[in-house]
């Protein structure tokens, strides 16, 4: 359960990997907690989906692969990117 604020919706996909509630809406938070307390199957499914999303997008290894791809792209096409320090566009 998370709020629809900041980077949380990037990590928690509402109804797939968790439940998102509006910031400051206590009743929504209570309802979400009750829903998961009362539903073992949904809680397990959201947890499993969240684990898979984490492994796909948020591990250190995935970050390193994405960073390598980004740097490789910059090296292959340097003129398409922001100017280097000391240069103007």
């Amino acid at each position: 359960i998370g709020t629809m604020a900041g980077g949380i919706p990037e990590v928690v996909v509402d109804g797939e990997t968790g439940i998102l509630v509006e910031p400051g809406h206590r009743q929504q938070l209570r309802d979400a907690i009750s829903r998961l307390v009362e539903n073992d199957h949904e809680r397990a499914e959201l947890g499993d989906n969240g684990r898979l999303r984490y492994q796909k997008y948020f591990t250190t290894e995935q970050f390193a692969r994405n960073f390598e791809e980004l740097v490789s792209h910059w090296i292959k096409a340097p003129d398409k990117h922001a100017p280097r320090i000391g240069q103007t566009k």
Side-chain angles (χ1 to χ4, degrees), residues 15-56:
E16 182 182 324
T17 64
I19 299 173
L20 292 173
V21 298
E22 292 287 336
H25 286 251
R26 292 179 180 155
Q27 187 60 49
Q28 285 183 2
L29 180 59
R30 281 191 290 270
D31 291 346
I33 292 169
S34 295
R35 178 175 151 188
L36 293 183
V37 165
E38 295 170 2
N39 192 331
D40 295 340
H41 175 74
E42 182 179 16
R43 190 173 62 243
E45 185 175 353
L46 293 174
D48 290 343
N49 291 343
R51 190 175 306 103
L52 292 173
R53 183 170 173 76
Y54 164 77
Q55 291 169 341
K56 183 175 182 180

Side-chain angles (χ1 to χ4, degrees), residues 52-76:
L52 292 173
R53 183 170 173 76
Y54 164 77
Q55 291 169 341
K56 183 175 182 180
Y57 296 109
F58 299 106
T59 63
T60 304
E61 293 80 12
Q62 185 60 43
F63 175 82
R65 280 193 294 274
N66 291 345
F67 188 74
E68 286 174 6
E69 287 178 22
L70 182 63
V71 170
S72 176
H73 180 74
W74 283 343
I75 290 170
K76 291 177 185 174

